[in-house]
Amino acid sequence: LIRRACYDLTGLPPTLAEVDAFIKDPAPDAYEKLIDHLLSSPRYGEKWARHWLDLVRFAETNSYERDNPKPSAWRYRDYVIRSLNEDKPYDRFVREQLAGDEIAPDDTDARIATGFYRLGIWDDEPTDAEQSRFDSLDDIVATTSQVFLGLTVDCARCHDHKIDPIPQKDYYRLLSFFRNINHFRNGGPTDEAPIFDPPESRRSYEDRVRELKDRGDDLREKIATIENELRANVGQSVGADQAADVRQLIRSRGREILGKDRLKQYQDLQRELAKVEAMKPSVETALCVTESGPTAPETFVLLRGNPHVPGEKVEPGFLTVLNAPAPVLPSAASGAKTSGRRQVLADWIVSDSNPLTARVMANRVWQYHFGRGIVRSPNNFGTQGDRPTHPLLLDWLASELVSSGWRLKSLHRTIMTSNAYRMSSRPNPKALATDPVNDGFWRFDMRRLSAEEIRDSVLAVTGDLNSTMFGPGVYPEIPAEVMAGQSVPGKGWGKSSPAEASRRSVYIHVKRSLLTPILESFDLAETDRSSPVRFSTTQPTQALAMLNGKFLNEQAGRLAARVRREVGDDRIAQVRLALRLALSREPTDFEVKRGLDLIEFLASSGDRDGGTGTGAGRNDALGAFSLVVLNLNEFLYLD
């Protein structure tokens, strides 16, 4: 039970001390205390952020052949981790991502949150620029509607939705909320904004910007004075607005007209101005969304989805099928940087008049605890999606989420302290015959650990896991054979120190065209679109990676070194500790004997062939046994 709870909330196995403390705690609320302890752990945000990153197609590069990096995309990942650890209300979490720059323009986290819009794929040289623009908007409509509303509105891009009552006009009414967004350019002022941490640093930055502007204005005024002198001396042959002609004249006749000293002064001023204009105050930036001003362009229904064949004009509007009130759009304010439309959409998505948002999120929380949602198609609550197996339970969970102030930790606690969550995974013949797919949750479905959980668990068990949080992505070593598959082998993949490379998998740099092999083998989420459910496949490359891969063999050696360090040369103690670390329980005498027999067999066969054949040799037998331990089904599966 403690292993199940630890993985569900932190993505890591419990330590031996945590297991012992839990088992020996006689208090009737020992389990409830454990849940509170895990929810308060910083590891909680790292685990549950990965679920959210799957949903919002998080990656740090653009895809396509060059697959260049997106600037500072990792800040969005850190924002999600911080928000979850702080138990930020989910309605606030949604509003910040959709309209943080409009809701709280001076709030650093709110600006970083809008990086949500910039996470999708981007073609840096499209054959049809207008088509590319609307493909980008479609990515936003698809992600927003599926993640927050559980509806496939994007199916209505070219025609009325074939299954759900969503007309094509509704698709473009929803798209018009995003129509004013600046097209992604992979950096620069339309994709990045300065951030200030601590907030007080904003004042010094703005003072420096003002100082440089004043200095530049002063220099331009002095330069203009000299240029006016030149104009006065040559009469009307050079107009006041012909700056290029003035500069050309200074180059050809400056010394003649102005004199040696005055010309030198002019040249010195120009050089100083160039230096001032090149001086930019040092400031960190974040990937974010921007708009092209307070007035949004018109939106039209595109016939067959073709951006070159506009049809009927539409205004922003919510989905007709939900009987939502018409949106009240703000007036275009003088000096405003955005249209304010996204805030209107965000407010409606988390409003009481929207019946979907709370249900969709409550279903996701249930799904990540039980392996499947009450609605098995978590991104599709429409007609083609799966019917909820327990509709009243879903309604109740959604109402609990809202009544708790949209706090997710409260919902976790409610679900995890339920009888349903604490059910055994053992089969019941009668129930199995009646409900073989476990629609009734009569047992807990065993699951294989996720790709990140497997890698992180290996590092945790061997003692190598680096718990440092936040910051730019890290680069574990990738075999040269994998790198060779790139058009330019190794391009875009850095080299981290062993300590940095041993950080949690959520901090690994996500390059769309070069995923970390041990993670990709175990069904890492697709990065091009929202991934609401992870596949769980069984394939030969997984066994090859776990038995033959360099990472696992190195870590097996680390585990062997750890047990030697902690219990010395006592073989029984070594076997017992290795199994305890991996399985989070006391091994049986039979399991210990089996481990000892394996070590003895490997050691003796290695001694017979002098350590040069297939045998492990006496010094390496513990490492080989440790590799077996890391390949045990009980280590890789959650009961």
Side-chain angles (χ1 to χ4, degrees):
L1 184 59
I2 183 175
R3 188 170 186 264
R4 181 188 298 179
C6 284
Y7 271 111
D8 278 5
L9 287 181
T10 70
L12 293 170
T15 65
L16 298 185
E18 287 173 329
V19 173
D20 289 343
F22 177 64
I23 291 173
K24 294 174 182 177
D25 189 345
D29 63 343
Y31 177 67
E32 286 74 10
K33 289 190 297 184
L34 170 68
I35 299 303
D36 288 338
H37 166 71
L38 296 174
L39 287 171
S40 65
S41 167
R43 309 283 84 85
Y44 160 77
E46 294 171 331
K47 160 69 175 180
W48 280 78
R50 187 60 260 180
H51 291 318
W52 187 259
L53 297 177
D54 284 4
L55 292 171
V56 297
R57 81 276 188 235
F58 175 78
E60 299 178 74
T61 60
N62 295 318
S63 192
Y64 296 96
E65 182 182 0
R66 278 179 285 276
D67 198 19
N68 287 325
K70 295 177 182 290
S72 303
W74 56 270
R75 293 191 190 278
Y76 176 85
R77 173 248 291 151
D78 287 358
Y79 157 80
V80 176
I81 294 172
R82 284 195 305 272
S83 297
L84 294 173
N85 276 336
E86 294 166 4
D87 202 16
K88 180 177 291 182
Y90 181 67
D91 59 341
R92 174 74 183 188
F93 186 60
V94 171
R95 293 175 76 242
E96 285 180 346
Q97 291 176 77
L98 292 174
D101 57 319
E102 295 180 335
I103 296 167
D106 294 329
D107 185 293
T108 296
D109 261 10
R111 293 304 300 269
I112 293 173
T114 65
F116 160 82
Y117 288 100
R118 304 307 201 189
L119 300 176
I121 63 174
W122 176 64
D123 187 353
D124 57 1
E125 52 177 15
T127 55
D128 185 333
E130 193 68 4
Q131 180 72 40
S132 177
R133 168 67 170 150
F134 278 91
D135 285 348
S136 173
L137 289 170
D138 180 69
D139 168 67
I140 293 170
V141 171
T143 307
T144 301
S145 63
Q146 292 178 32
V147 172
F148 301 119
L149 302 175
L151 293 176
T152 57
V153 176
D154 50 305
C155 291
R157 179 181 182 180
C158 304
H159 46 68
D160 290 350
H161 201 295
K162 295 296 185 183
I163 306 297
D164 296 332
I166 302 174
Q168 187 185 17
K169 188 174 179 180
D170 271 13
Y171 171 91
Y172 288 97
R173 280 152 52 92
L174 185 60
L175 182 147
S176 66
F177 284 105
F178 311 115
R179 188 71 175 84
N180 198 39
I181 290 174
N182 284 313
H183 192 39
F184 185 59
R185 295 179 178 85
N186 205 41
T190 60
D191 294 324
E192 296 175 277
I195 59 173
F196 304 97
D197 188 19
E200 297 75 32
S201 62
R202 177 188 292 272
R203 178 174 298 176
S204 60
Y205 170 79
E206 291 175 344
D207 289 345
R208 181 59 175 157
V209 170
R210 194 177 304 109
E211 176 189 335
L212 291 174
K213 180 181 181 302
D214 292 345
R215 180 60 180 152
D217 290 345
D218 180 57
L219 291 169
R220 293 184 193 93
E221 185 177 343
K222 291 177 180 178
I223 289 169
T225 298
I226 297 176
E227 290 177 346
N228 288 336
E229 289 178 19
L230 182 73
R231 291 190 182 93
N233 286 331
V234 298
Q236 298 302 314
S237 62
V238 179
D241 60 342
Q242 295 175 302
D245 288 347
V246 171
R247 289 192 292 271
Q248 176 61 35
L249 194 59
I250 285 178
R251 281 194 295 270
S252 61
R253 298 178 57 197
R255 185 163 185 169
E256 170 194 341
I257 299 171
L258 296 173
K260 177 182 176 181
D261 293 341
R262 193 66 165 157
L263 176 61
K264 183 178 184 304
Q265 183 184 10
Y266 178 84
Q267 292 170 336
D268 289 344
L269 289 169
Q270 286 283 19
R271 280 192 288 269
E272 188 175 355
L273 177 61
K275 289 180 181 178
V276 170
E277 289 178 337
M279 294 172 65
K280 298 186 182 297
S282 177
V283 64
E284 298 288 335
T285 60
L287 190 67
C288 65
V289 78
T290 60
E291 292 193 12
S292 55
T295 305
E298 295 178 328
T299 301
F300 299 89
V301 173
L302 303 181
L303 304 184
R304 295 189 176 182
N306 188 338
H308 303 291
V309 189
E312 178 186 357
K313 178 182 174 182
V314 296
E315 297 293 337
F318 308 130
L319 300 181
T320 307
V321 69
L322 298 180
N323 296 317
V328 178
L329 301 178
S331 302
S334 176
K337 296 180 179 179
T338 73
S339 64
R341 290 183 173 187
R342 287 178 290 112
Q343 182 174 351
V344 174
L345 175 64
D347 289 343
W348 170 72
I349 283 179
V350 296
S351 69
D352 292 340
S353 64
N354 184 345
L356 288 172
T357 305
R359 286 176 173 82
V360 169
M361 191 56 191
N363 186 66
R364 294 194 195 282
V365 176
W366 184 276
Q367 169 201 342
Y368 293 131
H369 281 306
F370 285 89
R372 64 93 168 171
I374 296 170
V375 175
R376 289 183 183 266
S377 53
N379 268 20
N380 188 359
F381 276 43
T383 305
Q384 201 170 26
D386 296 304
R387 303 284 293 177
T389 55
H390 299 71
L392 296 181
L393 173 59
L394 181 59
D395 288 350
W396 182 79
L397 290 171
S399 67
E400 287 291 293
L401 174 59
V402 175
S403 64
S404 70
W406 293 87
R407 302 283 181 174
L408 293 181
K409 289 188 178 182
S410 176
L411 189 60
H412 286 302
R413 194 176 290 106
T414 297
I415 290 173
M416 295 183 71
T417 55
S418 69
N419 224 23
Y421 181 80
R422 288 183 276 188
M423 296 293 280
S424 167
S425 62
R426 293 188 182 92
N428 174 309
K430 182 178 179 180
L432 193 61
T434 305
D435 180 15
V437 296
N438 195 25
D439 272 344
F441 297 106
W442 55 269
R443 66 169 175 167
F444 191 89
D445 284 333
M446 181 182 289
R447 70 170 176 88
R448 196 195 66 209
L449 300 181
S450 69
E452 293 90 345
E453 287 173 330
I454 291 173
R455 178 181 176 274
D456 294 351
S457 295
V458 169
L459 291 169
V461 166
T462 63
D464 265 12
L465 185 64
N466 179 349
S467 60
T468 302
M469 299 180 69
F470 307 131
V474 299
Y475 300 89
E477 182 181 354
I478 290 181
E481 296 84 355
V482 176
M483 293 284 200
Q486 294 184 279
S487 56
V488 181
K491 182 182 178 184
W493 195 257
K495 183 175 177 60
S496 296
S497 67
E500 280 290 290
S502 295
R503 292 178 63 192
R504 289 200 71 172
S505 301
V506 72
Y507 297 113
I508 292 178
H509 178 74
V510 183
K511 184 175 177 64
R512 283 189 157 101
S513 62
L514 188 66
L515 300 175
T516 306
I518 189 66
L519 300 181
E520 188 175 24
S521 294
F522 285 95
D523 309 309
L524 191 67
E526 181 185 3
T527 57
D528 288 356
R529 57 185 58 83
S530 178
S531 295
V533 178
R534 291 273 185 104
F535 291 108
S536 185
T537 63
T538 302
Q539 51 181 307
T541 54
Q542 294 166 347
L544 290 170
M546 294 296 289
L547 283 170
N548 296 356
K550 181 179 179 181
F551 172 70
L552 261 295
N553 276 272
E554 286 180 346
Q555 290 301 314
R558 300 278 191 178
L559 177 56
R562 177 180 180 179
V563 298
R564 282 196 197 99
R565 187 169 60 249
E566 295 188 14
V567 298
D569 295 327
D570 183 334
R571 281 292 194 212
I572 295 177
Q574 288 175 347
V575 170
R576 189 174 296 279
L577 178 59
L579 290 171
R580 285 186 68 209
L581 289 168
L583 307 181
S584 304
R585 64 168 176 82
E586 286 290 340
T588 64
D589 291 341
F590 171 75
E591 289 168 331
V592 173
K593 181 179 184 305
R594 186 171 57 176
L596 289 170
D597 290 345
L598 176 59
I599 291 175
E600 183 58 34
F601 169 76
L602 292 170
S604 60
S605 60
D607 289 341
R608 284 195 301 272
D609 61 25
T612 59
T614 56
R618 186 163 300 278
N619 291 331
D620 297 328
L622 181 59
F625 168 72
S626 297
L627 181 63
V628 171
V629 169
L630 296 177
N631 276 268
L632 291 173
N633 276 347
E634 191 176 345
F635 176 62
L636 297 174
Y637 282 80
L638 186 64
D639 187 345

